[in-house]
């Protein structure tokens, strides 16, 4: 919940009766300012963990009911979080063999201590694809300066990897975490969402190489955002 004013230390959040940001009529726009391009498929262990390149970077713009930009220094953005989910675009490339998929293209299901091969199409596709995403799939808000010197709210996904070859998109949604003791006003509905461009995940043999660090990644790394510079 975003609020222009904070309660005094003597006031409890449940007693203040804060309206939600939706009640205030605020508008949210989530945009991807650095798109993913490629990745090498991750393996079984953390030693073979490869991140998406370049790291996705998002910006959230918040406007009041008069379509005026809010002063970010006067609002509480600490409970805003963005989540990432994976969506498969093409099944032309087979999933990586390390993710419970045998050499016959069948997903494995452990049953009573043994592996039982079953056709992958019998599983829910969304559940299967979600298992391909590896790493930290959430990001909190960072108040930083953009390349023009303006302050903004940014979200970074520099620890995401994919454990299967193919073409994918990332779907991002921004949520507002509820305050302790506050009754949620909505049922986990996102405040805004954005979908990335299609990117390709390659096997280790086909991977064309890591792209050079972008100017945008270098810019934010100077503001203590880690793992953006290779």
């Amino acid at each position: 919940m975003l609020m222009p004013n904070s309660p005094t230390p003597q006031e409890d959040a449940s007693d203040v009766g804060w309206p939600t940001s939706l009640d205030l009529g605020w508008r949210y726009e989530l945009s991807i300012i650095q798109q993913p391009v490629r990745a090498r498929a991750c393996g079984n262990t953390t030693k073979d963990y490869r991140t998406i390149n370049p790291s996705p970077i998002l910006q959230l713009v918040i406007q009041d009911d008069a379509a005026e930009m809010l002063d970010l220094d006067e609002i509480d953005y600490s409970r805003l979080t963005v989540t990432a989910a994976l969506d498969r675009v093409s099944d032309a490339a087979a999933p990586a063999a390390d993710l419970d998929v045998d050499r016959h293209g069948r997903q494995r299901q452990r049953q009573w201590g043994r592996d039982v091969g079953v056709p992958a199409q019998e599983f829910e596709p969304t559940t299967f694809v979600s298992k391909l995403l590896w790493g930290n799939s959430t990001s909190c808000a960072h108040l930083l300066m953009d390349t023009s010197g303006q302050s903004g709210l940014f979200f970074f996904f520099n620890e995401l990897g994919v454990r299967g070859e193919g073409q994918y998109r990332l779907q991002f949604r921004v949520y507002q975490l509820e305050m302790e003791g506050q009754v949620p006003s909505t049922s986990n509905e996102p405040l805004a969402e954005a979908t990335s461009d299609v990117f390709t995940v390659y096997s280790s043999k086909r991977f064309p190489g890591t792209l050079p660090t972008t100017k945008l990644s270098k810019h934010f790394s100077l503001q203590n955002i880690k793992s953006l510079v290779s």
Side-chain angles (χ1 to χ4, degrees):
M1 183 176 66
L2 301 175
M3 285 302 302
N5 300 301
S6 298
T8 62
Q10 293 79 16
E11 293 176 320
D12 182 82
S14 59
D15 296 329
V16 175
W18 285 6
T20 68
S21 55
L22 296 179
D23 293 334
L24 292 174
W26 292 350
R27 304 174 184 178
Y28 300 81
E29 181 179 352
L30 187 65
S31 58
I32 305 171
I33 60 175
Q34 180 161 284
Q35 294 280 353
V37 176
R38 66 175 65 154
R40 174 183 162 181
C42 298
N44 279 324
T45 66
T46 55
K47 292 183 179 180
D48 200 21
Y49 174 47
R50 301 291 188 271
T51 57
I52 296 171
N53 178 236
S55 300
I57 303 176
L58 292 85
Q59 182 174 10
L60 180 66
V61 173
I62 308 175
Q63 297 177 328
D64 60 20
D65 54 359
E68 296 291 335
M69 297 286 292
L70 294 178
D71 186 349
L72 298 177
D73 292 323
E74 297 183 0
I75 65 175
D76 178 15
Y77 55 84
S78 63
R79 289 182 295 111
L80 287 176
T81 184
V82 170
T83 64
L86 193 65
D87 179 32
R88 195 179 198 116
V89 176
S90 172
D91 290 322
D98 59 301
L99 187 73
D100 298 327
V101 178
D102 65 18
R103 62 188 179 89
H104 301 294
R106 299 182 302 173
Q107 184 172 352
R108 288 191 174 276
Q109 181 184 39
R110 185 165 294 277
Q111 185 179 55
W112 297 103
R114 63 190 181 92
D115 286 335
V116 180
V118 294
Q121 61 266 26
E122 292 183 10
F123 286 78
E124 175 62 34
T126 302
T127 302
F128 176 66
V129 173
S130 67
K131 293 182 179 180
L132 295 174
L133 191 62
W134 197 11
N136 189 1
S137 60
T138 63
S139 173
C140 61
H142 298 264
L143 181 59
L144 301 171
M145 306 296 289
D146 64 15
T147 54
S148 63
Q150 301 296 317
S151 62
L153 291 178
F154 300 94
F155 302 83
F156 301 90
F157 290 86
N158 46 9
E159 299 178 357
L160 282 182
V162 181
R163 294 189 284 184
E165 296 179 63
Q167 290 186 306
Y168 302 88
R169 289 188 181 94
L170 288 167
Q171 186 171 46
F172 300 97
R173 293 185 174 94
V174 57
Y175 293 93
Q176 175 181 262
L177 302 179
E178 295 295 337
M179 285 187 56
E180 184 178 356
Q182 182 186 13
V183 178
S185 59
T186 57
S187 56
N188 296 325
E189 294 180 359
L191 299 176
E193 57 186 27
T195 302
S196 76
D197 294 341
V198 176
F199 65 97
T200 304
V201 179
Y202 300 87
S203 67
S204 58
K205 293 183 179 180
R206 297 178 56 244
F207 184 55
T210 302
L211 294 169
T213 303
T214 65
K215 292 182 178 180
L216 191 60
S217 292
K218 292 179 180 178
H219 172 78
F220 286 117
S221 70
L222 296 175
Q223 301 179 65
N224 295 321
I225 301 299
K226 307 298 183 182
S227 305
L228 287 178
V229 177
S230 57

